Amino acid sequence: MSLLPQIAFDPSACRIVWRDAQATLPMCAVPCLTPLTAELYIPRAAAALSAAVSMRSDDDGSVRDYEMSFSRLDGSFDVFALDITFDADALLWCSYKAVLCGDSARGAAQTLDIRNTAEDSGVFQLTVYKNTFAAPKNYAGGVMYQIFCDRFAQSVSHTPKVKSDSVLVSADSVPKYPENPGDAVNQNDFFGGTLWGVAEKLDHIASLGVTAIYLNPIFDAHTNHKYDTGDYMKVDEMFGGDAALKNLIAECRKRGISLILDGVFNHTGSDSRYFNREGRYPGKGAYNSPKSPFYPWYTFKNYPDEYECWWGVKILPSLNKNSPSLREYLLGENGVVRHYLKMGISGWRLDVADELPDDFLRELHTAARSEKQDALIIGEVWEDASNKISYDVRRRYLRGGELDTAMNYPMRNAVIDYITYGDAALIGDAARTLYSHYPREASHMLMNILGTHDTVRIINLLGTAGADGVGSCDGLSNGEYAARALTAAERALGIARVKLAYLICASLPGVPCIYYGDEAGLEGWRDPFNRRFYPWENIDSELFAFYALLGKLRRENSVFADGGFEVELAENGVFVFTRGSSITVAVNLSAQDFTLTYKGSRTDLLSGVAYEARCVLPPNCGCMLKDTSVDGDARRKICAAVMEK
């Protein structure tokens, strides 16, 4: 056997670019029914004779091979191109190959697989989608604010109507907690927050640059979290009822704020008018009689006490999403989804979207758009929503007609890991991968989160996690967590890290979502300690001002709404990326100064300081540079980025 000489050529030096008739697509998911050109850039030194791409469909496993034609020289690259139009949405796995010319030094011609790195498989995901995406006006360029209604603001003019078995506690109380995680606990303690109170605080919220509010569930239920819906068609009287919601919608509209409701359509409460295990509601629920009109909505194993429920939680019986009468109730012309859109909300965040079948999501999406053309549908998906496998089924969330976008847990995890460990390569790879998988429209609407009602408060997480990723208070009992506040040093570290994390979160493609109180420095460990009342008398003014500044900058710079995105540098603790042609964001977590050099002038929008030709960024600092040169808009990239001591 004879071995061909190895070619001194790095296949990761190649670039793959997709274009439509107007321009380069800034992220490489591509729309169907649109003439497209795929371009493969191969360094001229490789002496490529030809190139080809093989596309395997994830839907049916079919494979199609395409030869690419030589197109042109572009600087030091040979460009090979393929013109193609995709007839339908698809998830494709693409392999690119180049045949390199043989000569006396190299021997015979060789075929080379194109890879992102020397270690990867050489298979590239290509998402082909139907462009059905939409969002309320100004949503993409603004900020979202998440509110857990009971814990945000008491009203000065409306007293909450307390249910007979509920307990109203003081705002500085610790939420009721079980002795051990997972133990049952009656979550009937209420802190008195209402929708009236939210409306009274809208100017405070708007000062953060907020253009959308996401409310955790507000429908009638008997817990404080209300993920155990009792009646979808009734806003809980403790929160002010329908009148308070209508008032909030009207006040939000005056300020250009959209309202997104939490749609919990996978399960109800066992204590609901539909199931009625506790017999609280009039009429027969599914638990009370097989002849109940709600009986087909649930799946019983041994009637009535054994039934399917979410993660085995008996108070949350799962809904049978294939029931025609359930679908009519939720998705029909007079159903839940359209009812609240008629009332004036702007969209839905779908709880546990993985539990909702694709055809259910398509029907929901159609119902919402029938009622409001720009209704926004956001899915709770914790992984990459473009290729998620749930219950052994590949999901089609972002291929058009299901979800408009998702909660951005993948980038949340990448940001937290970067801030904690300082490994810039990891966040760079995560960003390149995610945004190349998602449709451009979905990327710009992503719900960019640092904390939610399901996570430890971000200040606690970043204030206590060490370089080894281990928190200084891991493993405490719930009683210990209830009494454990951050030390002064932990709090200072947490605030400094939260600022850097939010700088990244607010600058990446997507819409930053603030979990109520994070901007005020509210502390909290795992659920339920992450759901304390808003600290109206103890807001961290420095942290709040930083959040407000980022919101102001987003609204003043349209590039954050729909501008391109590119990672420029992600190594040695330094993460640098650009938005469009005008904004460069840099964070330095290395142990030495980082010098960013460029042509012309830049102004750091965070500090207001102007720089000529270079900006020196100390360790553990970040900046947002805006090109203020005369020819700034004509220049896309930083001219140089180097490390200097």
Side-chain angles (χ1 to χ4, degrees):
M1 178 184 294
S2 62
L3 297 177
L4 295 175
Q6 292 296 310
I7 299 173
F9 167 65
D10 180 2
S12 65
C14 298
R15 291 188 293 120
I16 301 161
V17 173
W18 285 84
R19 303 181 187 277
D20 61 15
Q22 282 74 44
T24 299
L25 298 173
M27 301 157 193
C28 67
V30 299
C32 62
L33 304 178
T34 300
L36 301 166
T37 299
E39 294 183 336
L40 178 59
Y41 286 69
I42 303 175
R44 186 144 186 80
L49 289 174
S50 63
V53 57
S54 178
M55 299 183 183
R56 177 173 60 85
S57 169
D58 189 80
D59 292 338
D60 59 17
S62 61
V63 178
R64 297 194 66 177
D65 298 323
Y66 300 90
E67 292 293 327
M68 305 182 78
S69 303
F70 178 77
S71 174
R72 66 187 187 282
L73 291 176
D74 189 322
S76 61
F77 289 90
D78 288 326
V79 182
F80 291 82
L82 169 69
D83 294 327
I84 190 170
T85 299
F86 295 101
D87 296 331
D89 64 277
L91 181 63
L92 301 174
W93 305 106
C94 301
S95 301
Y96 296 85
K97 297 180 182 294
V99 176
L100 308 184
C101 180
D103 57 29
S104 58
R106 294 175 175 167
Q110 299 182 39
T111 300
L112 185 73
D113 293 330
I114 308 304
R115 291 176 165 83
N116 276 317
T117 67
E119 292 79 23
D120 81 12
S121 65
V123 178
F124 297 79
Q125 177 182 321
L126 182 65
T127 309
V128 183
Y129 64 95
K130 294 178 291 188
N131 192 353
T132 61
F133 302 94
K137 184 180 179 182
N138 298 328
Y139 167 79
V143 174
M144 180 184 280
Y145 195 79
Q146 179 188 351
I147 296 177
F148 199 85
C149 186
D150 177 59
R151 308 298 164 83
F152 182 65
Q154 299 167 346
S155 171
V156 298
S157 56
H158 293 78
T159 302
K161 297 181 180 179
V162 183
K163 292 182 171 68
S164 59
D165 57 349
S166 298
V167 179
L168 198 60
V169 299
S170 63
D172 58 356
S173 299
V174 176
K176 185 184 293 186
Y177 58 88
E179 182 176 348
N180 300 298
D183 288 352
V185 61
N186 189 359
Q187 295 176 309
N188 65 341
D189 54 328
F190 287 81
F191 287 63
T194 66
L195 294 172
W196 297 111
V198 174
E200 291 164 11
K201 296 294 186 180
L202 281 179
D203 289 338
H204 173 88
I205 295 169
S207 69
L208 295 165
V210 170
T211 53
I213 291 174
Y214 153 49
L215 294 174
N216 286 106
I218 60 171
F219 305 132
D220 181 66
H222 298 276
T223 62
N224 49 49
H225 58 72
K226 304 205 179 297
Y227 280 94
D228 57 333
T229 307
D231 189 340
Y232 287 108
M233 285 296 195
K234 183 180 179 183
V235 176
D236 200 292
E237 289 295 330
M238 290 197 70
F239 293 167
D242 284 10
L245 177 59
K246 291 175 181 177
N247 173 71
L248 178 58
I249 291 170
E251 292 300 319
C252 283
R253 187 176 292 121
K254 292 177 184 177
R255 296 164 175 82
I257 296 175
S258 304
L259 197 63
I260 310 296
L261 295 188
D262 210 332
V264 187
F265 302 137
N266 173 66
H267 50 266
T268 65
S270 61
D271 190 2
S272 67
R273 63 181 293 248
Y274 317 107
F275 201 79
N276 208 15
R277 189 180 70 177
E278 281 70 30
R280 188 191 304 269
Y281 292 84
K284 299 291 186 181
Y287 183 86
N288 312 123
S289 171
K291 295 182 180 180
S292 167
F294 306 120
Y295 180 82
W297 293 15
Y298 301 91
T299 302
F300 290 91
K301 301 174 183 177
N302 185 15
Y303 187 81
D305 291 316
E306 293 184 20
Y307 46 86
E308 289 188 3
C309 44
W310 182 71
W311 282 22
V313 180
K314 297 293 285 185
I315 67 167
L316 300 177
S318 297
L319 288 166
N320 172 17
K321 274 73 70 177
N322 293 320
S323 166
S325 61
L326 172 67
R327 290 202 181 193
E328 181 63 25
Y329 183 80
L330 294 176
L331 312 178
E333 186 171 349
N334 297 310
V336 174
V337 167
R338 297 182 67 163
H339 172 75
Y340 290 98
L341 288 167
K342 287 185 177 81
M343 193 180 289
I345 72 163
S346 297
W348 292 91
R349 176 265 190 190
L350 302 182
D351 185 55
V352 291
D354 292 347
E355 310 284 342
L356 305 176
D358 284 312
D359 64 329
F360 182 94
L361 291 174
R362 286 192 290 272
E363 192 173 338
L364 186 152
H365 190 274
T366 298
R369 289 295 168 78
S370 297
E371 195 60 49
K372 184 170 290 189
Q373 290 184 345
D374 61 354
L376 178 64
I377 307 299
I378 304 171
E380 181 195 10
V381 183
W382 287 61
E383 300 83 12
D384 185 329
S386 71
N387 57 29
K388 173 70 183 288
I389 295 177
S390 175
Y391 298 102
D392 298 321
V393 175
R394 180 82 72 184
R395 305 309 301 265
R396 306 167 66 95
Y397 294 136
L398 300 181
R399 286 165 58 172
E402 291 193 9
L403 302 179
D404 293 311
T405 193
M407 299 178 74
N408 200 355
Y409 276 102
M411 284 310 302
R412 171 191 180 268
N413 297 338
V415 170
I416 289 172
D417 285 348
Y418 169 56
I419 297 297
T420 302
Y421 296 98
D423 189 337
L426 291 177
I427 191 173
D429 289 344
R432 292 186 186 100
T433 299
L434 188 81
Y435 293 118
S436 71
H437 289 179
Y438 282 23
R440 180 176 188 266
E441 296 80 3
S443 291
H444 290 312
M445 295 186 286
L446 275 167
M447 191 171 163
N448 285 351
I449 52 178
L450 290 176
T452 72
H453 61 291
D454 289 323
T455 67
V456 172
R457 283 279 175 182
I458 189 62
I459 190 172
N460 291 61
L461 186 63
L462 295 180
T464 59
D468 58 359
V470 178
S472 64
C473 56
D474 287 357
L476 298 182
S477 68
N478 276 349
E480 290 170 319
Y481 276 127
R484 168 75 156 88
L486 294 175
T487 66
E490 289 169 341
R491 185 170 176 85
L493 176 62
I495 289 174
R497 284 177 162 181
V498 167
K499 287 182 179 180
L500 293 178
Y502 190 64
L503 170 61
I504 297 171
C505 177
S507 303
L508 290 169
V511 177
C513 180
I514 304 169
Y515 180 43
Y516 82 95
D518 279 354
E519 81 288 358
L522 180 59
E523 296 179 18
W525 307 103
R526 64 190 179 210
D527 174 15
F529 309 112
N530 58 353
R531 302 175 183 181
R532 291 177 182 263
F533 199 75
Y534 194 95
W536 291 107
E537 305 302 321
N538 191 30
I539 294 173
D540 187 293
S541 58
E542 179 186 349
L543 187 58
F544 187 94
F546 185 81
Y547 271 77
L549 173 61
L550 265 296
K552 176 175 179 288
L553 295 177
R554 282 185 59 82
R555 300 191 73 167
E556 291 177 349
N557 294 274
S558 61
V559 70
F560 290 118
D562 57 7
F565 166 79
E566 188 160 350
V567 175
E568 300 290 352
L569 185 68
E571 60 185 40
N572 299 325
V574 179
F575 183 43
V576 182
F577 60 91
T578 54
R579 295 302 311 274
S581 61
S582 59
I583 298 288
T584 299
V585 176
V587 174
N588 178 18
L589 296 184
S590 73
Q592 54 192 359
D593 288 350
F594 167 71
T595 300
L596 198 66
T597 61
Y598 43 80
K599 292 180 180 178
S601 304
R602 300 284 194 278
T603 297
D604 180 10
L605 298 181
L606 301 182
S607 65
V609 177
Y611 298 92
E612 291 291 332
R614 62 167 42 196
C615 171
V616 178
L617 195 61
N620 300 312
C621 288
C623 65
M624 179 185 289
L625 300 179
K626 184 171 185 177
D627 191 339
T628 52
S629 305
V630 174
D631 63 342
D633 288 339
R635 206 166 38 248
R636 183 176 59 85
K637 286 189 175 183
I638 309 166
C639 295
V642 296
M643 293 291 294
E644 293 184 2
K645 291 185 178 180

